[in-house]
Amino acid sequence: MTDMPAKLAEIVDEFASAPRELVLEMLLEFSDTVPALPAEMAGHQGMEQVPECQTAFFLKTRVLPDRTVQTWFDCPPEAPTTRAFAGILAEGLAGATAEEVLAVPDDLYARMGLAQAISPLRIRGGSAILTRLKRQVREQTE
């Protein structure tokens, strides 16, 4: 079993070791790092909505021939916590292989220590994002 991508593991460790009062601030920084969607995905063309999120959240993955995974996320700026999940995944999974993405633990957000900082509803939304992302990768690699 492959471990999760090194960059994502680094982010998880940063959050897990951060003082609780800094966690929300760190999350908000990630909400600003979500890359803009390419023109062909305007209007969420070809993207999957994540209904478990309280806000409109869309994602798409593409597994390239070399098994590297590309990810795209869209979420309104008015939902900074949910956008932060997208930013964490976008940065943490950049350049990752399908196997590395599938090895990301389902309890990622708990490992980051976020359960103490944000609501269970937001954690559930973040977990749903990860679950759907992994399912998309699995569907393209089987």
Side-chain angles (χ1 to χ4, degrees):
M1 184 80 170
T2 316
D3 288 326
M4 73 174 120
K7 181 64 186 162
L8 186 59
E10 197 178 295
I11 294 169
V12 170
D13 290 345
E14 280 175 29
F15 272 91
S17 62
R20 191 167 169 224
E21 59 274 11
L22 285 182
V23 169
L24 278 177
E25 199 175 304
M26 290 167 65
L27 268 177
L28 292 178
E29 287 174 17
F30 274 100
S31 73
D32 295 333
T33 65
V34 180
L37 289 178
E40 69 267 15
M41 289 183 199
H44 304 117
Q45 191 69 35
M47 299 183 84
E48 177 179 0
Q49 184 163 7
V50 181
E52 292 88 345
C53 289
Q54 290 177 284
T55 188
F57 189 99
F58 296 85
L59 70 95
K60 179 181 175 73
T61 65
R62 182 181 300 143
V63 180
L64 301 176
D66 69 358
R67 298 190 69 77
T68 302
V69 177
Q70 290 181 311
T71 59
W72 294 273
F73 304 97
D74 194 40
C75 176
E78 307 83 60
T81 307
T82 308
R83 269 187 79 81
F85 290 144
I88 289 165
L89 291 173
E91 188 172 317
L93 299 178
T97 64
E99 290 72 25
E100 288 172 322
V101 171
L102 294 173
V104 172
D106 293 333
D107 65 348
L108 177 70
Y109 302 113
R111 289 180 185 216
M112 292 173 72
L114 295 181
Q116 292 77 39
I118 59 176
S119 74
L121 205 55
R122 297 242 186 277
I123 295 283
R124 195 162 53 245
S127 296
I129 293 165
L130 180 60
T131 299
R132 286 171 185 276
L133 187 149
K134 288 167 73 171
R135 193 203 70 240
Q136 285 188 15
V137 169
R138 212 173 284 114
E139 287 172 354
Q140 294 176 64
T141 55
E142 288 178 347

